[in-house]
Structures are given as C-alpha cells and as structure tokens.
Amino acid sequence: MEEKIITTENAQPERKKKILSCIQPSGIPTLGNYLGALKNWTKLSSDFDGAFAVADLHAITVRQDPKKLRQQSNEVFALLLAIGLDPEKSIIFLQSQVPAHSQLAWILNCYTQFGEMSRMTQFKDKSLSHADNINVGLFSYPVLMAADILLYQADLVPVGADQKQHLEIARDIANRFNGIYGKTFTIPDPYIGKSGARVMSLQDPTKKMSKSDPNPKSYISVFDTPEQIMKKIKSAVTDSEGGVYYGEGKEGVNNLMSIYSCCTGLTNEQIEAEFQGKGYGDFKVAVAEAVIEELRPVREKFDYYMKDTAELKNLQAKGAETANRIADRTLTKVMKKVGFVIP
Ligand code: TYM
C-alpha cells in the first residue's frame, strides 16, 4: 500500500473535540453547581473547543423578576470568567443573545414526542413545586436544551448527574433527525465527574443541593463568606454514629466526604485514614476550610470582573458574535434539510 506522506501542505490537523454546557441564572450558583459542573468546565476547556452559556431562556420556565434576572445573568456571566474560562479560547455567551437556540428548539419540538417529554423526571418534580405555573416551556425545556447542544455539534457535555436524562433525550432527538435527513448533528456524550456529580443538601442529604431550596442552610452559595460556609457545614446533618467513613445509611457523611474529596483530591480511603479516631467536629471544620479555600479565588476574581461593567458587556457581545456565527451555520443546514426556502 502506498504510504501517505504528511507535509505542511496536506496536513489535516485532527479536529479538536467540542464541549458545550450551560447554567441557569435562576439564583446564585451553589457548591453543587460548582463541583458538579463548573469546575469540570474549566478543567476540560484547555483540551476542547468549549462553548459555555448562561441559560437565561431556560430560566423563564419559572416566573422571574426581570430586574433580578438581568442582574443574575450578568453575575453568572462574570462567574464563568471567575472560574477561569478564558474568553480568548472558549465561547462564553448569554443564550438569549443567540436567536438560533429558540429557532432550532421550535424545529426540534416537531421531532419530539409528547410521551417522551412526559417521562422527564425534572418536569414531574418542577410541576409539583410550581403547581400554579405548569407552562408549555417547562414541558418542552429538554428540547431547548437539545438545541443548545446540537447547534454547536458538541461531542461532550459536562453536567451533574441530574441532567443525564436530558442528555439522553438530546441524543434520541439528534439520532432521529439524522435518521430522517442524513447526518446533521454530532451525537453528544455526557461527561459526569466521578465525584461531585450529585452534591446533596446539607440539611436533608437524600435531596440534591439546590439554589431554589427555601432553606439557605441547606446549600452553600459560591459567594457565601468564609464565616457562612463554616457555620453551614458545622450545622450539616450527619448521624449519631460518629465515624468518618463511607457507608450505607450515612448519607450526610458520604456527602461531606465527597465534597472534601472534590476540594482536596483525596480518595475516600485517604479521608477515612485522616479522620480515624476523630469525631465529626474535626471533620466538619476540615471540610469547611477546604471549601473556603476552593471558593476563595473564585470570589476574588468575581468581584474583579463585576467591577468593570463595560468590559463585561464587551465580552458578552464578543461571545454572542462567535456563538451566532457557529449556531447559524447549523441552523441553516437544518432549515435546508427540512425544506424551508433559504433567503
Ligand atoms: P442548572 O442551572 O440547574 O445547573 C448547572 C449545572 O450544575 C449541575 N448541578 C449539580 N451538580 C452536582 N450536584 C448538584 N447538587 C447540582 N446541582 C446542579 C447541573 O447538573 C448542571 O450541569 N438544564 C440545565 C442547564 C442547561 C444545559 C444546557 C446544560 C441548559 N442547556 C445544555 C448542558 C447542556 C440546568 O438547569 O442546569
């Protein structure tokens, strides 16, 4: 067989894989958001072409105060910079500034079955917690999420474990569309970290830590002060048994161990060895100190980015411009395949 000689003229650099992920600006992000998702975004962003969005279109599936939504969207955008995402290397943008997300979501709605959406556990949960406003957007939310992912032809989507079902439906929709019209979308894989994929409530460790929990003692916000973090972790629910080890019926301790592991890089065995013969008091102080140190640089950089609102706007415009260019390319391809007249 003839050997192919690669020269500078014919070299095809291997395509860098793409990642995409988003976060809703529906409140101040928690330690769960940070350890389950944001920390991995930064880690992966050096090896992948990354696109990261503030999912403000998703946020209005639950009633929002307009002033607060705008403020939180700016804050979460600044947070994405503060966690170390580099706007020169990754695309960082506000979802509502890229109209193709809404446009593709409409098209994909017509390729998604009512029955599929009815099975989404997050829809069922949110219908219970927002019984007075079970709107159609809440129902078709996973289709918008599929549009977010598929527009950028993402190979990998780093998320917490709670988004796994939405990722599966995005894959189903993409496969269905490709099956009808030929290869249009890359089929995305979820990236769910080994530890931190499901950070639990500090007050009820059988429930996910959530920024919408009415009890602020149940979650740590990424902007909590060191004093608040120490206080919340000291009052975290554990058990009456007293030993620091990972086990069944020890959800509170398991949760603190996994938080500690994410912040220090220690394995469960190493943590158990460190706290052998010590009580929960010592353990909780160590966990709190690790969390404080983990979040300290994020908080400091956040304050720095929030001070310069002109630069923030500038970066938002730059991110939206690049995102629009990429997203429009996929949208046009889809519109042609479906049979729309392209101007
Ligand atoms: P959102 O805004 O609820 O959360 C953002 C990310 O944080 C993760 N997460 C957690 N991880 C571990 N433990 C927890 N307690 C915890 N709470 C939240 C979430 O899994 C998520 O990765 N629908 C998405 C936003 C979205 C999206 C997308 C994500 C919109 N479009 C496209 C990926 C791709 C959401 O509501 O995440």
Side-chain angles (χ1 to χ4, degrees), residues 107-175:
I107 296 174
L108 296 182
N109 268 326
C110 304
Y111 296 82
T112 307
Q113 299 304 303
F114 186 87
E116 289 176 307
M117 290 295 99
S118 312
R119 285 193 289 276
M120 296 290 109
T121 54
Q122 201 169 75
F123 171 68
K124 291 186 205 162
D125 293 347
K126 286 212 173 169
S127 303
L128 289 176
S129 54
H130 299 277
D132 56 338
N133 182 20
I134 309 176
N135 59 72
V136 179
L138 192 63
F139 184 69
S140 67
Y141 170 116
V143 181
L144 176 59
M145 195 166 146
D148 300 339
I149 299 166
L150 302 180
L151 276 175
Y152 299 86
Q153 308 288 0
D155 299 284
L156 210 60
V157 183
V159 283
D162 63 329
Q163 296 299 322
K164 191 163 174 268
Q165 198 185 28
H166 291 162
L167 248 294
E168 280 160 11
I169 202 78
R171 288 169 59 91
D172 289 348
I173 296 171
N175 273 317

Side-chain angles (χ1 to χ4, degrees), residues 6-258:
I6 308 283
T7 66
T8 43
E9 277 74 41
N10 70 8
Q12 290 276 338
E14 214 179 294
R15 182 174 79 84
K16 217 172 169 191
K17 293 221 169 189
K18 299 193 173 98
I19 52 172
L20 170 130
S21 204
C22 310
I23 178 168
Q24 290 195 63
S26 48
I28 296 173
T30 67
L31 184 66
N33 295 126
Y34 180 75
L35 297 178
L38 302 179
K39 197 175 164 169
N40 291 330
W41 298 6
T42 314
K43 207 163 64 188
L44 294 168
S45 68
S46 48
D47 293 330
F48 291 84
D49 277 338
F52 304 100
V54 178
D56 49 359
L57 295 175
H58 279 90
I60 62 163
T61 53
V62 170
R63 202 69 74 227
Q64 302 286 341
D65 172 57
K67 227 172 128 190
K68 245 168 111 182
L69 179 61
R70 218 177 333 270
Q71 171 71 12
Q72 284 167 187
S73 298
N74 283 323
E75 285 176 355
V76 175
F77 187 89
L79 177 66
L80 299 190
L81 301 169
I83 60 169
L85 293 177
D86 178 351
E88 294 296 324
K89 292 199 184 122
S90 301
I91 312 165
I92 310 168
F93 63 102
L94 298 171
Q95 185 191 28
S96 63
Q97 294 185 354
V98 184
H101 289 249
S102 311
Q103 292 168 284
L104 183 62
W106 172 257
I107 296 174
L108 296 182
N109 268 326
C110 304
Y111 296 82
T112 307
Q113 299 304 303
F114 186 87
E116 289 176 307
M117 290 295 99
S118 312
R119 285 193 289 276
M120 296 290 109
T121 54
Q122 201 169 75
F123 171 68
K124 291 186 205 162
D125 293 347
K126 286 212 173 169
S127 303
L128 289 176
S129 54
H130 299 277
D132 56 338
N133 182 20
I134 309 176
N135 59 72
V136 179
L138 192 63
F139 184 69
S140 67
Y141 170 116
V143 181
L144 176 59
M145 195 166 146
D148 300 339
I149 299 166
L150 302 180
L151 276 175
Y152 299 86
Q153 308 288 0
D155 299 284
L156 210 60
V157 183
V159 283
D162 63 329
Q163 296 299 322
K164 191 163 174 268
Q165 198 185 28
H166 291 162
L167 248 294
E168 280 160 11
I169 202 78
R171 288 169 59 91
D172 289 348
I173 296 171
N175 273 317
R176 184 172 305 145
F177 196 95
N178 286 353
I180 302 171
Y181 297 107
K183 170 115 175 48
T184 311
F185 298 123
T186 302
I187 309 300
D189 282 313
Y191 175 97
I192 298 175
K194 274 202 199 78
S195 56
R198 202 169 165 78
V199 178
M200 309 307 276
S201 154
L202 298 177
Q203 291 301 311
D204 176 359
T206 60
K207 264 179 32 193
K208 173 184 96 158
M209 181 182 281
S210 163
K211 53 193 169 226
S212 53
D213 195 311
N215 180 2
K217 277 169 74 181
S218 72
Y219 59 84
I220 290 171
S221 133
V222 291
F223 303 139
D224 275 348
T225 62
E227 295 71 31
Q228 286 170 316
I229 295 173
M230 184 60 81
K231 211 163 148 202
K232 286 183 186 179
I233 292 189
K234 277 188 173 169
S235 69
V237 168
T238 45
D239 53 69
S240 54
E241 196 244 3
V244 178
Y245 64 90
Y246 203 91
E248 219 172 290
K250 291 178 70 73
E251 286 81 10
V253 172
N254 295 348
N255 188 36
L256 293 178
M257 282 178 72
S258 108

Side-chain angles (χ1 to χ4, degrees), residues 70-71 74-75 77-78 81 302-317:
R70 218 177 333 270
Q71 171 71 12
N74 283 323
E75 285 176 355
F77 187 89
L81 301 169
F302 171 78
D303 289 341
Y304 166 82
Y305 285 111
M306 279 305 282
K307 268 195 212 119
D308 194 345
T309 42
E311 176 62 1
L312 212 56
K313 274 232 161 313
N314 203 8
L315 291 173
Q316 288 170 359

